[in-house]
Amino acid sequence: MRLKFCLNCVILLSVMQTSFGWRQFWKGRRTGGNVRVATAGNVPRFWFAPITEWFDQLLDHFNTTNTATWKQRFYTNNAYYKPEGPVFLMIGGEGAATSDWMTDGAWVPYAKEHKALCFLLEHRFYGLSQPTEDLSTENLVYLSSEQALADLAYFIIAMKKKFNLNHDTKWIAFGGSYPGSLAAWLRLKYPHLVHGSISSSGPLQAKADFKEYFEVVKDSLGSHSDDCVTAVRKSIQQVEILLKHRIGRTSLNDKFELCDPVENSIENPLDLSTLFESLASNFARVVQYNDDFRHDNAENDPMDIDDVCRIMVNSTIGTPVDRLAEVNRLLLMESGYTCLEYKYDKMLDEMRNTSWEGDAAYLGDRQWTYQTCTEFGFYQTSGDKSLLFGNRFPLEFFIEQCKDIFGKQFDGKFLDKAIFRCNTNYGALDAETTNVIYIHGSIDPWHALGLTKAVNSQMPVIYINGTAHCANMYDPADNDLPQLKAARVEINKFIKNLIQS
């Protein structure tokens, strides 16, 4: 039941991630990318790692007068390939690609069975695929899902030639989370190049006010107990009360190990919004990656829903706000951070750094934030006092970030037009694809923007009860839920049918 989506970074990145950066969970994604290494702690199938290769890619696929090119990173695994076999293409996402995916993950047994040639193409502007000299707003104009899809198309054509593949060789795309969306859109936009796609946990509908995200978080916490939800609600309300009093503010500094005294931010609504959004993100992170890479009786497993809910309902720890603080303390420790950062201006300082060596660039946070501001929205909001996490971070809070980081032109009207364009371009939940299977987990909040029910026989759906983000993509384990094991079998059947069709 491993979760955590699509292509993260190399081991060095995961180590550095605990020592710097704004925070580990940012705008619905793990910093560094939503999907990390595929092994889930298992022994890799090979003792070696596939070598890093580079592809000469066009900078701008939609301006024929711009002939500039750049080097795009990719990996190859031909260990299982037999002539006349298919080609599997893993799509890189909003984090650095890692060669681990070439030798591990659920797709590798599929490749072995079907004698497939395997590629992984890193997404432009993430990892070492750096098309421009920096990440200025002017250069980020070349960062979009449309450019990424064209990258994939040009890569496919080049690899066909390089490996002398037959015209009827069947290419099957794989992706999870944002790359899950790309996998579906690749088949939609380039059906002559891609025969089919496996889309895992992919949001298909761009939406600015993604309030449903925390509704799923609430429901997922409720799968443990209603008492857990009640305790979380009360804890947030108690934080609000403590903020109103001088002594209460001082206690919050200690309880939540804040990097800066909150009394200095009491007149700064953006700081307070960031604080509440950070506390809510603690639960979002746990829910989204619930049971990710957990092992039986392992002491260092990441916290899951049961862990945080056991704390939240444990009255011996103290009041609900004390329990909330304990959850925060343990997650800070798990992430390797010494305090909880919430100062809005500090976030801006990181996000405005346009150097490739900057923390936000290195982990992909600036790039992903740009994509949310210019294409998708996807803002996990809470803008009503009746909601589980209150009203401190409504949509306007996130739009303000777009303007402050990238420029005043990236306002609400710009975002509305960008989202309209995205949904018009790809069809949102009304897209009519063929040979694409959509997989989602019931606990994963991102399923709220994806296909969870089949609309026709040409668009099959697997909805896995009790699993979270991209669970089906990781190495099978004996303690996987039966429904997760069954889902992998169904995916393999779908692949077999694609190959034989």
Side-chain angles (χ1 to χ4, degrees), residues 46-178:
F46 297 117
W47 62 269
F48 65 90
I51 63 171
T52 299
E53 301 178 78
W54 302 95
F55 176 64
D56 287 330
Q57 187 64 267
L58 283 173
L59 176 63
D60 188 349
H61 293 283
F62 307 109
N63 180 1
T64 56
T65 65
N66 187 343
T67 59
T69 61
W70 56 283
K71 300 289 186 180
Q72 188 169 20
R73 180 164 62 170
F74 73 97
Y75 297 101
T76 305
N77 181 353
N78 60 2
Y80 308 125
Y81 180 63
K82 300 294 183 183
E84 311 303 323
V87 180
F88 289 176
L89 174 60
M90 179 69 78
I91 299 174
E94 76 292 13
T98 168
S99 61
D100 293 306
W101 278 96
M102 302 313 298
T103 57
D104 292 278
W107 78 316
V108 174
Y110 304 152
K112 186 174 183 179
E113 177 180 344
H114 301 297
K115 308 298 186 292
L117 172 63
C118 296
F119 294 107
L120 160 58
L121 184 66
E122 188 170 60
H123 196 295
R124 60 168 55 204
F125 283 92
Y126 293 98
L128 297 181
S129 294
Q130 302 171 1
T132 54
E133 63 180 2
D134 62 26
L135 291 165
S136 64
T137 303
E138 292 74 21
N139 282 334
L140 286 175
V141 70
Y142 299 110
L143 171 58
S144 70
S145 60
E146 290 171 286
Q147 294 282 6
L149 291 173
D151 287 344
L152 291 162
Y154 276 64
F155 177 79
I156 290 171
I157 293 170
M159 292 304 106
K160 282 184 174 182
K161 182 177 181 179
K162 178 179 178 179
F163 285 84
N164 195 27
L165 300 176
N166 294 333
H167 176 72
D168 57 355
T169 297
K170 291 172 179 172
W171 286 69
I172 300 174
F174 292 75
S177 200
Y178 165 51

Side-chain angles (χ1 to χ4, degrees), residues 203-214:
L204 297 182
Q205 179 183 3
K207 187 174 185 180
D209 194 354
F210 186 16
K211 59 185 178 181
E212 294 86 354
Y213 185 97
F214 279 110

Side-chain angles (χ1 to χ4, degrees), residues 347-462:
M347 178 274 292
L348 290 184
D349 287 342
E350 285 202 18
M351 292 297 166
R352 285 172 172 169
N353 188 341
T354 63
S355 168
W356 282 106
E357 286 70 42
D359 295 352
Y362 186 82
L363 297 172
D365 292 351
R366 176 174 168 84
Q367 300 94 302
W368 180 241
T369 301
Y370 178 83
Q371 288 195 264
T372 66
C373 294
T374 59
E375 288 192 87
F376 308 126
F378 291 161
Y379 298 123
Q380 300 93 46
T381 63
S382 186
D384 191 291
K385 286 185 177 181
S386 65
L387 299 175
L388 181 61
F389 294 103
N391 66 344
R392 288 283 191 165
F393 46 102
L395 175 60
E396 292 73 19
F397 170 63
F398 297 96
I399 293 175
E400 187 66 27
Q401 292 177 31
C402 292
K403 294 191 295 182
D404 289 344
I405 296 171
F406 300 109
K408 292 183 179 180
Q409 68 271 31
F410 296 93
D411 57 13
K413 290 183 179 179
F414 178 94
L415 180 62
D416 287 342
K417 291 179 180 179
I419 288 173
F420 177 81
R421 183 180 185 280
C422 181
N423 287 331
T424 301
N425 191 24
Y426 299 126
L429 297 179
D430 293 323
E432 293 187 5
T433 56
T434 58
N435 293 357
V436 180
I437 189 168
Y438 299 90
I439 306 109
H440 288 277
S442 65
I443 290 177
D444 178 19
W446 287 99
H447 82 250
L449 294 182
L451 280 179
T452 57
K453 293 182 179 179
V455 294
N456 58 59
S457 60
Q458 294 295 317
M459 299 175 66
V461 168
I462 299 178

Side-chain angles (χ1 to χ4, degrees), residues 461-494:
V461 168
I462 299 178
Y463 187 62
I464 314 171
N465 187 43
T467 65
H469 207 54
C470 299
N472 63 284
M473 293 183 65
Y474 296 93
D475 272 334
D478 292 339
N479 61 344
D480 283 339
L481 292 175
Q483 53 269 36
L484 177 56
K485 295 178 180 179
R488 291 198 182 101
V489 172
E490 287 301 310
I491 293 168
N492 194 33
K493 288 181 180 178
F494 179 80

Side-chain angles (χ1 to χ4, degrees), residues 2 39-42 291-302 477 479:
R2 288 142 279 331
T39 59
N42 298 332
D291 284 337
D292 188 5
F293 295 175
R294 291 176 66 88
H295 307 86
D296 291 337
N297 302 317
E299 293 182 359
N300 297 321
D301 277 345
N479 61 344

Side-chain angles (χ1 to χ4, degrees), residues 238-293:
Q238 288 176 1
V239 173
E240 290 279 14
I241 293 171
L242 290 173
L243 281 172
K244 296 177 180 178
H245 306 283
R246 181 177 59 82
I247 296 177
R249 296 165 196 158
T250 302
S251 70
L252 287 176
N253 295 331
D254 297 331
K255 287 180 187 293
F256 292 97
E257 303 178 43
L258 302 183
C259 297
D260 296 278
V262 73
E263 52 265 31
N264 296 341
S265 294
I266 202 65
E267 300 299 329
N268 187 331
L270 292 174
D271 282 355
L272 297 182
S273 291
T274 306
L275 173 60
F276 279 91
E277 197 255 338
S278 297
L279 296 175
S281 291
N282 280 340
F283 292 94
R285 166 186 157 196
V286 169
V287 168
Q288 183 166 314
Y289 305 119
N290 185 59
D291 284 337
D292 188 5
F293 295 175

